[in-house]
Amino acid sequence: PRPARLRAARRVGAAGVGGRAALCPGLVGLGLARGSAADPLPALGQRAVSVVFATAGGARRVESCLAQLVRVHGPVVEILIVDNAPAEPETRILVEEWTRRDPRVRYLEEPEPGVSAARNRGVREATGDIVAFTDGDVLVDRLWLRYLVAPFALDPQVGITTGIVLPACFDSEGQRWFEDTYGFAKGFDGRLYDLDANAPPDQLFYPPWGAPFGSGNNFAMRRRVFTQLGGFDRALGAGA
C-alpha cells in the first residue's frame, strides 16, 4: 500500500519507565465500552496479539512486569521475553519458572546488543497478527492491551498504535522536572496520523521526527507492517 495509507492511531495508556504505572482512560469518542455490543475486539480473534518486551538484566523488574502482563485482558497468544544479556542466567531461570505456570510466556535470547535487535528477534518469533511492545521497567494496566489494539479492529488502515505513559508517583523534584520537560504523556485525546488529511500542519519535520506519536514502551503494530518496513534499525535504540 502507499505510505499514506499507513495510519498511526494514538490512543490509550500503558506503563512507564522508572517505576511508572498504567492509566487506561478509555477510547474517548470511539464508543467502546467493555462488554458492549459495539466492542470491536472479537473481530481480531482469540489469538491475535503477541506481546514482546526486551530486557538486559534486571530479573526483579522482569518479575514485576510479567506479573502484570499475564493478567491483561485481550486476545494474547504469547508473551515473549527477549533476553539481551543472555550470559547472565537469572532472567532465563525466572522466565522458565513463569512458563511452567503460564505456557503463553516464552523465553528468547538475542546476543546482539541493542533494543532494536532484541525487538526484531521478538517479532520474528511472534505468531500473532499484531505485536504489542512494552519494557521491563513498565507496569501495565489490566485493560492496557484491550484498548491499545482496538483501533486495528475499527480501521483496517491503521498500522501502528501508541498510548500514553504516566508516572506512578512524584517523589522528587527530578521526577517533576522530567515530566515537565521530557514526559511520555501525549495527552488524553485520540489522534490519527498519516501522510494525507491527518498530517499535522505545525510539525516541520513530520514524519521523521516521531516524538509526538508516542513512546517505545507502549505501542503495537501489525506484523505485516513490520515486514514491509524491514524491522527496526539495529543502529538505533538503547544499547545499540
Side-chain angles (χ1 to χ4, degrees), residues 172-226:
S172 69
E173 286 301 317
Q175 289 173 322
R176 294 179 183 274
W177 175 85
F178 179 86
E179 289 302 317
D180 289 341
T181 309
Y182 301 108
F184 293 108
K186 300 295 190 292
F188 291 91
D189 296 326
R191 300 178 106 182
L192 194 64
Y193 294 94
D194 58 26
L195 297 181
D196 290 328
N198 297 293
D202 57 343
Q203 294 181 23
L204 179 62
F205 296 105
Y206 177 87
W209 177 243
F213 304 151
S215 307
N217 50 12
N218 180 22
F219 75 103
M221 68 168 62
R222 297 188 193 272
R223 190 154 52 93
R224 61 172 172 79
V225 170
F226 173 88

Side-chain angles (χ1 to χ4, degrees), residues 7 15 33 42-43 46 60 63 96 103-104 106 133 157 168-169 173-174 181 188 219 235:
R7 295 184 177 184
Q46 293 300 310
R60 181 179 300 178
E63 172 84 23
E96 288 175 350
R104 296 177 302 167
R106 292 173 53 197
F133 298 86
Q157 294 187 30
C169 59
E173 286 301 317
T181 309
F188 291 91
F219 75 103

Side-chain angles (χ1 to χ4, degrees), residues 7 13 29 36 41 50 57 61 63 68 71 83 88 109 116 119 121 133 157 164 169-170 173 181 201 220 225:
R7 295 184 177 184
S36 71
L41 291 191
S50 299
R61 291 192 300 179
E63 172 84 23
Q68 299 295 116
R71 298 172 62 243
D83 190 353
E88 303 174 7
E109 293 185 0
S116 292
R119 287 173 174 167
R121 174 65 192 278
F133 298 86
Q157 294 187 30
I164 59 174
C169 59
F170 287 109
E173 286 301 317
T181 309
V225 170

Side-chain angles (χ1 to χ4, degrees), residues 96-148:
E96 288 175 350
E97 291 175 355
W98 273 96
T99 301
R100 286 191 284 271
R101 285 180 268 172
D102 189 329
R104 296 177 302 167
V105 177
R106 292 173 53 197
Y107 173 83
L108 301 172
E109 293 185 0
E110 178 48 64
E112 179 182 346
V115 68
S116 292
R119 287 173 174 167
N120 285 342
R121 174 65 192 278
V123 179
R124 287 197 302 269
E125 298 285 340
T127 61
D129 293 331
I130 298 166
V131 183
F133 298 86
T134 188
D135 287 340
D137 52 3
V138 157
L139 301 175
V140 299
D141 186 88
R142 285 187 299 172
L143 299 181
W144 162 64
L145 196 65
R146 176 183 182 83
Y147 293 117
L148 186 65

